[in-house]
Amino acid sequence: MRPVDFAKALGVAALVLLVDVAIAIGVVYVYAAFVDTGHPQDYYIFVARWSTRIAGTTLMFVTAWICGRRRPARNAYLFALVLTAFYALLDGTSVLFHDIFTSSFALTIVLKLAGSQIGAWLAVRSRARIRSEVPL
């Protein structure tokens, strides 16, 4: 990967983190307002965790798939790995690395890494299929 690809991965990771947090806030709001109301704020942390594990993993999958298809010359697997590493770094930085060295955080990042690697695999597979279908 070229240095510009690392910069792109950082920017995309920041965007994915912002969208993931926005989705988590929305899910927690809906859950707290309509499903299970009247609890203190700490009660809803489990909803945010599961929201980011599901929505965030899906976002990483889609992002790695799209980015992997856009630049066939770039190593899609490495880009997905760097994307996930930057995501984890930005996520940790956003809370000043407070309580991120837990099994819960590790599970969340491992799920996002799996999603991004599956997205990269699908991108590589679809690039190969498209290449084989193009007549010479």
Side-chain angles (χ1 to χ4, degrees), residues 6-111:
F6 287 94
K8 287 178 184 179
L10 178 60
V12 171
L15 181 62
V16 169
L17 179 63
L18 289 173
V19 172
D20 190 17
V21 168
I23 290 170
I25 289 170
V27 168
V28 169
Y29 175 78
V30 168
Y31 188 82
F34 301 109
V35 178
D36 195 5
T37 61
H39 296 284
Q41 186 177 5
D42 290 346
Y43 177 80
Y44 300 105
I45 290 175
F46 79 95
V47 177
R49 285 186 182 142
W50 281 104
S51 168
T52 192
R53 288 178 183 156
I54 295 168
T57 300
T58 304
L59 286 168
M60 293 296 276
F61 165 78
V62 171
T63 302
W65 178 59
I66 290 171
C67 292
R69 288 186 58 162
R70 289 188 69 191
R71 299 241 332 130
R74 179 172 48 212
N75 183 335
Y77 297 107
L78 181 58
F79 186 84
L81 177 67
V82 171
L83 174 70
T84 307
F86 278 139
Y87 180 95
L89 183 66
L90 291 171
D91 195 6
T93 303
S94 71
V95 294
L96 301 175
F97 296 99
H98 183 271
D99 285 339
I100 69 158
F101 300 107
T102 63
S103 58
S104 177
F105 184 78
L107 173 64
T108 302
I109 297 303
V110 166
L111 288 171

Side-chain angles (χ1 to χ4, degrees), residues 61 64-65 68 76-78 80 115-125 127:
F61 165 78
W65 178 59
Y77 297 107
L78 181 58
S116 70
Q117 290 298 309
I118 293 169
W121 173 79
L122 189 61
V124 169
R125 185 173 173 217
R127 287 188 319 212

